[in-house]
Each structure stands twice: as C-alpha cells, then as structure tokens.
Amino acid sequence: MDERTEPAAGVSGHSPHVGGTDPATEAFVAHRNLLFTVAYEMLGSAADAEDVLQETWLRWAGVDQDTVRDPRAFLVRITTRQALTRLRVLRRRKESYVGPWLPEPLLTAPDVADDIELADSVSMAMLLVLETLAPTERAVFVLRDVFDLGYDEIAQAVDKTPAAVRQIAHRARAHVAARRPRAVVSPTETRDVLTAFRQALETGDLRRLLDMIAPDVVLLTDGGGIVPAALEPVVGADAVAEVLGRIALGPGDSRRALRPTQVNGHPALLLCLGDEIDSVLAVRIEDGRIISLYAVRNPEKLSRVNRETAVGR
C-alpha cells in the first residue's frame, strides 16, 4: 500500500518527463501514501497532512537526486520535520478550539481493515491517545512502532541522537500502552454492534440503546463552534442515551438516514440529512458494548468522507 499511480498532491505544478524518467517525481509518487499517513498520524488532520506533503514536495524537488542514497528515508525525514513544525502550531490552535477536538475522519478502503496494525494506528481511539504525547514523542512513536523505522533514521528526522531516540521511544510506548484500547476488536464484531446500534436509532428504541452502551460510556462531539455540539464530554449511559435520543430517526423519517461506512480503517456510521453529511459517528467497543462514541460534526472536517483516502505503510 506504499504505491500510488495517480498524481500526488504537491506534484501538480511539476511536469514529469514522458515515460516517468523524472526520479524525484517517481520517488514522491511511489511513497506518497506512506508520507501522507506519517503526517496524518502525527497531526490528526488530513488537510494539514496535505499541506505538509506540499511542503515536502517543494523541498524534495530542489534536492540533487544524485546525493540521495535512500529516497524513502529522505522523504520521511522531510515529512517528519515539516509535520513537527506544524504540530506545534496546531497545539496552540487547539487551545482555543471550541468544545472537544476530534481527528479529521477519513473514508478508507475496505482493505485497510485487513492490515490490523495500520487500522489500529489510524483509528480515532489511537489518534486521541497520540494527542497526549509531546510532539517529539509522537513523531518517534509513529515512526518506530507504526512504520518500524530504525533508530538511526528516526534520529536524523527528529534531530536527536539514536540513544536519545531509544529513550523517547521507550517512554512514549509506555505512555501509549497505558491509554490504548485493551483489546483489538475485529471489524466483524464492530460491524455487528454498529448494525444493532443503527437499528436502535432508526426505530427510536432507547431501551435497546441503553443495553448496548457501557455504564461509563463517553460521548465526544466535535462541532468546532460552527455547528451545535456538546462543549464537554457527555459521560454515563443515561446522559449519552438522552443525547442519542435527539438523533433517533424513528419510523417514517425519510429526511435523515444512517449509512454504514468505513472510517479510519474501522466500520462507522454517517448521519445524512438529505444529500448532505451531517456527522460521522465512530465507536470504541470493549466486551461487546460501546464504551466511547466519537461524533464529528464540524463541517470543515467532513470533506474526506466523500471519497476514499489512501493510507499505507
């Protein structure tokens, strides 16, 4: 999944030679999915990840290719440095964000779910865990534990010594392990739970909803101050069921619809109002019950659920 045949973002202004003889363009296009995924996992924002790729391309296009021994490592290094710079800016921006901040959801191809490690790394739950890391810790964890880069390569990307990177990786790994989901839930189990959840919402069966969510369930709604959303996490089965009751479709509601989809490598739901996507609803499941709900309503974050986004390792 590290290959891509269509033009890469940031390459549109560059015309490769006929026959694909431009090595800079060929290398960038070949590794674009990897570079995008690195940037996205560091930032949680597809729009910012695309900007990072644009900046990466501009720097890559000016490199003397004869001096590059390993294009993949070189491109990852540029991408990581650009993402680190942008991550620090985003952190300041998030301090003034209205209400809970959630990652920008991606409509992903079904085969992403087949790569369990990749699907886990881009899941809503994992991206929120990564938000709790310091920028350099996040970069080191993503490059080492997700993409299996060597410590020497990572050291060059984050301007640290290999020994320091090992220490950072150990600290970040322990931090993530204490916060990540305890068990991997299969796509089939997630899909089954979401199907029952969807049916309960469509029929307005709130009692059935209560049976499906954990007593300490948490609902995060991201409206970004643009559309209505809870400004604080909604905690507890009764409180969450009350919120869900407001979007219960009920019999004969033809204007609203819940559509199954694949978001960030996992089954999810789209709440549609007519032809418009109103919300993306993702879940985290443990022991057959929903323990976390992530509802992205900010319209600025919904453009990536209209078309598939290619991710890869």
Side-chain angles (χ1 to χ4, degrees), residues 190-206:
T190 302
R191 195 174 296 111
D192 290 345
V193 171
L194 272 178
T195 298
F197 180 77
R198 175 189 176 193
Q199 291 171 349
L201 283 175
E202 288 176 336
T203 58
D205 189 346
L206 297 185

Side-chain angles (χ1 to χ4, degrees), residues 172-279:
R173 196 174 296 120
H175 182 99
V176 170
R179 292 163 176 80
R180 74 189 308 166
R182 292 195 299 268
V184 176
V185 180
S186 71
T188 299
E189 181 180 353
T190 302
R191 195 174 296 111
D192 290 345
V193 171
L194 272 178
T195 298
F197 180 77
R198 175 189 176 193
Q199 291 171 349
L201 283 175
E202 288 176 336
T203 58
D205 189 346
L206 297 185
R207 183 174 297 278
R208 188 178 182 190
L209 280 177
L210 281 170
D211 290 338
M212 298 179 60
I213 56 181
D216 56 349
V217 63
V218 177
L219 166 64
L220 299 176
T221 57
D222 180 345
I226 300 173
V227 296
L231 298 181
E232 299 290 341
V234 181
V235 182
D238 291 337
V240 169
E242 182 180 348
V243 174
L244 293 174
R246 298 172 196 159
I247 65 171
L249 307 187
D253 191 341
S254 59
R255 181 172 173 269
R256 294 188 293 171
L258 283 167
R259 299 174 184 167
T261 189
Q262 194 84 5
V263 169
N264 290 58
H266 296 270
L269 294 173
L270 298 180
L271 174 61
C272 300
L273 302 180
D275 294 329
E276 299 294 324
I277 297 174
D278 175 84
S279 308

Side-chain angles (χ1 to χ4, degrees), residues 16-22 26:
H17 300 298
V18 176
T21 56
D22 179 351
E26 288 181 348

